[in-house]
Amino acid sequence: MGAGVSGLAVDAQRGFPLRPGLDDVPESCISSIFMYLDPPEICKLASLNRAFRGASLADFVWETKLPSNYRYLVKKVLGQSPETLSQKETYARLCRPNRFDGGTKEVWLDKNSGKLCLAVSAKALKITGIDDRRYWNHIPTEESRFQTVAYLQQIWWFEVVGELDFEFPPGAYSLFFRLQLGKSSKRFGRRVCNLDQVHGWNIKPVRFQLSTSNGQQASSECYLYEPGNWVHYHVGDFVIENSNSPAKIKFSMMQIDCTHTKGGLCVDSVLIYPSEFGQRLK
């Protein structure tokens, strides 16, 4: 009652009733509002005062932002038990790029939406002739999230295949190969791209394929283009309806017309994004 009376008391110096401020809003009410906001908005409001900060730490707020398979992600990617982390800490750590499978794969959550994104490095792919230095080399580069790419000098039979067993949250996803014609480097602090070995990609198109363990399939064909620039080549889309078990995804690209050689290609990675994000890359 004392708090209620003081809230209605007259300020003798100013001559008007005191009004409730943000400090008077119960944390439970703030937390309920936070459930309908995006994570960046929650973090900004948490800096207003102690009540807002306390409300921003509520587990039930962040559980609504986490993907439905977050327990699987914590165990597989972070190597921890979900019970050892608060929900806010879980969200923050999953939003960072996290490596797994010997550092050849990386997964992260989009900070704004909590949607899952995944990358597979060239070193995790089966590339025909990769062990023969006459054809392929792994070269270091700052332009790859994995700091290395597979570079093709010249070959007759071009084939790259990958597989992934992973538990995705329900939703629609798009798969891309990230490729570049030419070998880029730094010279006197400026980016340059050597196109001397680029050849053969304008004669026949590259065929991209995708299949999932539940029977979904997609394929596309296109000529490789834009020498000197990284391009995301869309392979196809797939839909996850049940996140209770890992999905097996197979993907490939090939150009196996042996009437001509092809070369001068950098293979960086395979990217899997929610389909609404993938539209930005096409």
Side-chain angles (χ1 to χ4, degrees):
M1 179 175 176
V5 171
S6 63
L8 297 175
V10 175
D11 188 319
Q13 295 180 346
R14 300 187 180 184
F16 56 84
L18 294 175
R19 297 180 180 179
L22 288 176
D23 289 330
D24 300 310
V25 182
E27 280 189 15
S28 59
C29 293
I30 301 172
S31 297
S32 298
I33 296 172
F34 280 174
M35 292 177 64
Y36 298 96
L37 301 181
D38 293 331
E41 296 173 320
I42 296 174
C43 293
K44 288 180 181 178
L45 292 173
S47 63
L48 285 177
N49 57 37
R50 184 178 299 177
F52 275 69
R53 182 179 182 279
S56 73
L57 300 176
D59 275 349
F60 71 86
V61 170
W62 291 98
E63 189 152 13
T64 63
K65 314 305 176 188
L66 287 164
S68 59
N69 69 333
Y70 78 89
R71 292 180 177 275
Y72 165 85
L73 295 174
V74 171
K75 293 177 182 177
K76 183 174 180 65
V77 179
L78 302 182
Q80 292 186 240
S81 170
E83 287 72 26
T84 62
L85 301 172
S86 70
Q87 304 296 59
K88 182 178 181 180
E89 186 179 2
T90 298
Y91 190 91
R93 291 187 60 180
L94 289 178
C95 283
R96 304 169 192 162
N98 293 285
R99 299 276 177 90
F100 65 103
D101 282 1
T104 62
K105 300 180 180 71
E106 193 171 272
V107 66
W108 66 97
L109 301 183
D110 176 70
K111 292 181 180 180
N112 293 317
S113 65
K115 300 279 188 178
L116 185 140
C117 306
L118 190 146
V120 181
S121 76
K123 288 190 174 181
L125 305 175
K126 296 178 181 178
I127 302 176
T128 301
I130 189 64
D131 295 325
D132 193 327
R133 293 297 172 262
R134 294 175 299 172
Y135 306 129
W136 290 90
N137 284 295
H138 285 289
I139 59 175
T141 175
E142 297 177 355
E143 297 183 0
S144 169
R145 65 173 56 247
F146 296 100
Q147 290 80 51
T148 183
V149 299
Y151 178 68
L152 172 64
Q153 298 175 90
Q154 178 174 290
I155 204 166
W156 294 88
W157 184 288
F158 172 75
E159 185 173 16
V160 180
V161 179
E163 289 188 12
L164 177 67
D165 278 299
F166 198 80
E167 186 177 303
F168 287 87
Y173 296 87
S174 298
L175 188 144
F176 300 84
F177 274 92
R178 186 173 186 259
L179 311 173
Q180 177 184 259
L181 291 175
K183 181 167 57 174
S184 55
S185 61
K186 288 284 185 69
R187 184 176 300 169
F188 303 112
R190 298 181 61 184
R191 183 184 190 270
V192 295
C193 194
N194 189 327
L195 306 179
D196 291 348
Q197 294 180 311
V198 176
H199 71 282
W201 303 108
N202 59 342
I203 300 175
K204 290 289 181 67
V206 174
R207 181 171 180 79
F208 298 93
Q209 291 182 302
L210 161 70
S211 64
T212 67
S213 52
N214 65 353
Q216 299 178 67
Q217 295 185 353
S219 64
S220 60
E221 287 188 353
C222 76
Y223 293 91
L224 303 190
Y225 54 92
E226 287 193 37
N229 294 304
W230 289 103
V231 178
H232 296 85
Y233 293 89
H234 183 223
V235 179
D237 302 330
F238 62 94
V239 176
I240 299 295
E241 296 180 350
N242 185 354
S243 64
N244 294 329
S245 60
K248 178 173 285 187
I249 303 165
K250 295 183 179 181
F251 41 89
S252 65
M253 62 175 175
M254 60 184 67
Q255 213 283 36
I256 55 177
D257 184 342
C258 293
T259 61
H260 67 282
T261 63
K262 36 266 175 189
L265 176 69
C266 283
V267 178
D268 173 36
S269 58
V270 170
L271 299 170
I272 299 177
Y273 285 110
S275 291
E276 61 263 36
F277 294 0
Q279 295 295 329
R280 308 171 192 168
L281 305 177
K282 294 180 181 178

